[in-house]
Amino acid sequence: MHIPSLKEVVSAEEWQLRCDLAACYRLIAAYGWSDLVFTHVSARIPGPEHHFLINPYGMMFDEITASSLVKIDQDCNKLSDSSYPVNPAGFTIHSCIHQGREDAGCVLHTHTRAGVAVSAQKCGVLAISQQSTFVLGSLAYHDYEGVALRDDEKPRLQADLGKANYLMLRNHGLLTVGKTIPDAFLAMYTFENTCRIQIDAQAGGELTFVNPQIVAGIASVMKVATAGMGAALAWPALLRKLDRMDPSYRS
């Protein structure tokens, strides 16, 4: 595939956002979280226009580059030239979350095996690991209403998410909200591992639960543990990892 570079066409700020979002898609593929071409990560372009970047529908996540990402508006209309379509149904969930949360710079959604498995459990996320305590500090649930195609589901999605940064879509999968792309990615890394650990632990015998007081105090602990910079610490290392694997995401 030959996709002309947009580096000299878009603003420096948009180009950086494109590189980070393309990196996010490549990392999702590298960690095995993709569902062929059927999930999405969206990022809001700074400015008053409420424009977004999203994947070209039909590209595998390990093919996506900064220039191949498609610019769309709030109604999923294409604003940039692309031979690939975008998936309006896939943007239904993302658009309503961006609309309801001004702080939602990035929305990341997956259909992983472990994530869907835990989303189907009545108990939801259990406080059985250190990872789970980070998730439980900002977790919400949304009941399954079928494939997300209807506009009338949007207000319920917004209400269920509220101010949380982790959303478990029942019988469907996982979703994270971040101020930045690195924030949303690190949150999903933690969410996914929480679910994998839970499924593995449930297969191994009686569970030991974390003290509820520890879960309740996790927000203050995180401020000390990473000085609120967890994503900022991990993201440069993740980009170096990608550059060693295949730097073409920057093209």
Side-chain angles (χ1 to χ4, degrees):
M1 294 178 295
H2 175 69
I3 296 173
S5 175
L6 297 178
K7 186 174 183 178
E8 306 302 326
V9 177
V10 301
S11 68
E13 189 174 31
E14 181 177 328
W15 181 251
Q16 184 59 57
L17 192 71
R18 284 175 171 273
C19 288
D20 282 339
L21 187 55
C24 186
Y25 276 104
R26 295 288 185 101
L27 287 165
I28 289 171
Y31 282 100
W33 306 344
S34 60
D35 183 15
L36 297 179
V37 301
F38 298 111
T39 58
H40 307 276
V41 189
S42 57
R44 175 186 288 156
I45 299 172
E49 298 88 357
H50 290 277
H51 293 167
F52 306 89
L53 295 173
I54 199 165
N55 54 311
Y57 196 39
M59 267 195 185
M60 299 291 282
F61 285 14
D62 60 0
E63 296 178 308
I64 290 175
T65 64
S67 296
S68 69
L69 292 162
V70 184
K71 185 188 297 188
I72 57 175
D73 65 15
Q74 183 72 43
D75 298 316
C76 207
N77 298 307
K78 287 200 294 186
L79 302 174
S80 58
D81 290 334
S82 175
S83 59
Y84 283 84
V86 289
N87 182 9
F91 193 57
T92 298
I93 292 173
H94 294 251
S95 63
C96 78
I97 292 175
H98 282 295
Q99 187 176 44
R101 289 276 298 269
E102 278 296 319
D103 63 325
C106 179
V107 178
L108 198 167
H109 173 41
T110 63
H111 299 157
T112 63
R113 181 173 177 174
V116 176
V118 175
S119 78
Q121 294 182 336
K122 185 174 289 188
C123 63
V125 173
L126 298 173
I128 58 171
S129 66
Q130 178 168 276
Q131 288 83 351
S132 71
T133 64
F134 304 144
V135 172
L136 288 165
S138 187
L139 176 63
Y141 294 86
H142 176 69
D143 287 339
Y144 188 62
E145 299 188 24
V147 177
L149 298 173
R150 304 186 319 277
D151 285 341
D152 70 300
E153 185 179 1
K154 290 182 177 182
R156 291 185 291 277
L157 262 167
Q158 292 170 334
D160 286 342
L161 176 65
K163 295 183 179 180
N165 292 323
Y166 299 88
L167 180 64
M168 181 156 278
L169 298 161
R170 290 290 195 180
N171 310 100
H172 184 172
L174 309 180
L175 184 144
T176 57
V177 173
K179 183 177 181 180
T180 67
I181 293 165
D183 288 333
F185 179 84
L186 184 61
M188 184 57 75
Y189 183 87
T190 304
F191 207 178
E192 172 66 17
N193 278 344
T194 292
C195 293
R196 291 189 181 200
I197 290 166
Q198 180 165 319
I199 295 299
D200 288 348
Q202 288 172 321
E206 187 175 356
L207 301 174
T208 299
F209 287 80
V210 175
N211 187 315
Q213 291 182 334
I214 293 175
V215 178
I218 196 63
S220 59
V221 170
M222 286 300 293
K223 289 179 181 178
V224 175
T226 65
M229 294 179 60
L233 290 170
W235 191 249
L238 287 164
L239 294 184
R240 292 194 298 272
K241 174 187 178 74
L242 272 185
D243 286 337
R244 290 191 299 271
M245 294 168 57
D246 180 1
S248 66
Y249 72 94
R250 296 180 183 272
S251 62

